[in-house]
Amino acid sequence: MAIAILILDFGSQTTHLIGRRLRDLGIDTKIIDPELALQEINKLKPAGLILSGGPSSVYLKNAPTVDKKIFSLDIPILGICYGWQLIAHLLAGEVVNGRKEYGPQILNHIDGKLFIGLPKTSTVWVSHGDSVIKLPPGFIPLASTQNVQYASAADLKRKIYGVQFHPELEHTQFGQQILQNFLQNICYHVSEHGNKVNLKPKTEEIINRIKKQVG
């Protein structure tokens, strides 16, 4: 089965958990060093990219980053926590160091492909010191918390999304649904007839792949 989603690892303790959540949805993934992003994209032709969280600040010297060319490749992107801050920073938004937050927050969101099927408010888990305070050109706000105005935002035309919380953690009430929405509603292939092609592989394919791997 072809790699469907590339996960760019910026040092988060939960990067592998992102992969686990996607595999639970039947999606094959590969975790890569951000420096290899363009090379791996050209080789694997993924349906989407996820930029993980991480302990760094976008303003620190030698902070992990990625080539800005990924934003012009017409590949859906989801930035999580640091990944979202990095997107905003690279695309001429503004990120500042504010009050550190760790724990549950109430998320309020508007309708959109990322939050389809969710109630208007839900509990999410945050862990950050920096926050996006000015959106990059072309982005619109999608969700907020009490202390973070842009807890989620997106450039709908380029299909670039960001969240300032961790959907991969169980503490985020509808985190798995948010990841599934990103896959099903945003990361889809379009056939020559214009039909959406389901990324979820057949059960038999998963079983055969496991048998091949474990003997």
Side-chain angles (χ1 to χ4, degrees):
M1 180 171 60
I3 299 296
I5 301 294
L6 285 179
I7 302 172
L8 280 58
D9 182 10
F10 291 98
S12 172
Q13 294 180 338
T14 60
T15 297
H16 286 274
L17 184 56
I18 298 171
R20 166 65 187 274
R21 297 298 181 216
L22 300 189
R23 288 192 295 274
D24 286 347
L25 294 169
I27 301 301
D28 216 16
T29 66
K30 183 177 182 180
I31 297 173
I32 64 170
D33 188 309
E35 293 182 357
L36 302 176
L38 289 178
Q39 175 183 324
E40 293 294 314
I41 289 169
N42 290 331
K43 181 171 67 175
L44 299 173
K45 310 297 183 186
L49 306 176
I50 292 182
L51 280 58
S52 84
S56 190
S57 168
V58 295
Y59 292 115
L60 288 179
K61 185 179 180 180
N62 299 323
T65 188
V66 68
D67 195 313
K68 290 171 61 174
K69 291 178 182 177
I70 68 168
F71 303 121
S72 59
L73 298 178
D74 196 30
I75 300 175
I77 295 173
L78 174 64
I80 296 175
C81 200
Y82 177 82
W84 161 223
Q85 296 161 14
L86 183 62
I87 289 171
H89 177 63
L90 292 176
L91 296 179
E94 186 175 352
V95 180
V96 298
N97 185 265
R99 186 177 69 179
K100 293 185 182 298
E101 290 191 306
Y102 181 81
Q105 290 289 327
I106 299 300
L107 184 77
N108 301 282
H109 69 82
I110 61 176
D111 291 331
K113 291 181 178 181
L114 200 60
F115 299 105
I116 288 176
L118 275 65
K120 294 295 184 182
T121 62
S122 62
T123 301
V124 297
W125 192 267
V126 302
S127 176
H128 64 97
D130 293 357
S131 297
V132 178
I133 64 166
K134 179 184 177 183
L135 293 179
F139 279 71
I140 61 170
L142 297 181
S144 63
T145 65
Q146 181 178 359
N147 299 315
V148 177
Q149 182 178 5
Y150 303 123
S152 181
D155 181 327
L156 301 181
K157 184 177 181 180
R158 290 190 287 177
K159 293 179 283 189
I160 303 173
Y161 289 73
V163 294
Q164 189 55 70
F165 57 89
H166 289 274
E168 72 273 21
L169 296 180
E170 291 185 357
H171 304 295
T172 294
Q173 197 172 7
F174 297 99
Q176 190 75 340
Q177 182 64 48
I178 291 171
L179 292 174
Q180 184 171 336
N181 284 343
F182 176 67
L183 296 171
Q184 292 185 341
N185 302 327
I186 301 163
C187 294
Y188 59 82
H189 293 297
V190 179
S191 73
E192 60 181 349
H193 303 295
N195 299 319
K196 292 182 180 180
V197 178
N198 193 351
L199 289 175
K200 193 168 185 177
K202 296 179 180 179
T203 303
E204 294 82 2
E205 184 178 351
I206 298 175
I207 293 173
N208 290 334
R209 183 156 53 92
I210 293 173
K211 286 181 177 179
K212 182 178 180 180
Q213 289 177 349
V214 304

